[in-house]
Amino acid sequence: MKQKKNVKNYRFANDISIILLSAVVAYGLVRSGVVSHFLSATEGYKVIGSFIAGIFFTSAFTIAPASVALAGLAASGPMFVVAFWGALGAVFGDLLLFFFIRDVFADDLIKVLRKFWRKHFFASFHLGFLKWLLPVLGGIIIASPLPDELGLALMGVSKTRLIFLIPISFVFNFFGILLLAMIVRTV
């Protein structure tokens, strides 16, 4: 039992380290001019640049450099185009995450909760409007600067079908990127 707890603590510490390293790498990319070079290279190809940056906008490990790239694209181009194509790329990234890690995160989330509380809490989501609460909460997390993995895990726990995941991911990522673009334009 203690060994399982140590493994979970190691995974959590490893994830936090990778996220912090991602932020440092994003800072380094901006300071070294790599992001400027990417923006220059995609000057005539804002659609492709937005789509690629959108793919990386979904993961906690790549959100920092992707946000910098999307902010740069939005600062020098039409923000609705950047948000639209960035959101399409983010849907693609979310689908990759959803298929490859949803079960792992959903299982970890369920195991963290106590057995009694988990049984009654998740059983209530089979009733009426409550079954829509986790996907909506997951969508809000997708739109926020929080990692999409958490929102996708909530959707995995609630057994969200793919037909609902795609529009939820697109809408919330679109508004998240659009908000980022508006902040960049006002600053």
Side-chain angles (χ1 to χ4, degrees), residues 8 106-122 125 134 154 157:
K8 285 181 185 178
D107 289 345
D108 287 348
L109 184 63
I110 289 172
K111 287 176 185 174
V112 167
L113 301 173
R114 290 186 210 176
K115 189 176 181 178
F116 175 78
W117 187 77
R118 178 183 71 214
K119 178 181 170 187
H120 293 292
F121 180 74
F122 286 114
F125 283 94
L134 284 181
L154 291 175
V157 166

Side-chain angles (χ1 to χ4, degrees), residues 12-35:
F12 179 73
N14 190 36
D15 290 346
I16 295 298
S17 299
I18 291 172
I19 291 169
L20 291 174
L21 179 64
S22 169
V24 170
V25 167
Y27 178 76
L29 290 173
V30 170
R31 296 289 293 168
S32 70
V34 171
V35 172

Side-chain angles (χ1 to χ4, degrees), residues 96-112:
L96 289 173
L97 289 173
F98 190 70
F99 285 126
F100 290 112
I101 64 169
R102 71 173 168 185
D103 296 331
V104 173
F105 277 115
D107 289 345
D108 287 348
L109 184 63
I110 289 172
K111 287 176 185 174
V112 167

Side-chain angles (χ1 to χ4, degrees), residues 117-149:
W117 187 77
R118 178 183 71 214
K119 178 181 170 187
H120 293 292
F121 180 74
F122 286 114
S124 68
F125 283 94
H126 295 291
L127 304 172
F129 81 95
L130 289 178
K131 68 181 175 184
W132 294 97
L133 187 61
L134 284 181
V136 169
L137 184 58
I140 291 169
I141 290 171
I142 287 172
S144 76
L146 295 171
D148 284 7
E149 290 94 341

Side-chain angles (χ1 to χ4, degrees), residues 22 32 36 45 80 99 120 139 163 177 183:
S22 169
S32 70
S36 299
Y45 307 102
F80 283 99
F99 285 126
H120 293 292
I163 195 166
I177 294 170
I183 290 170

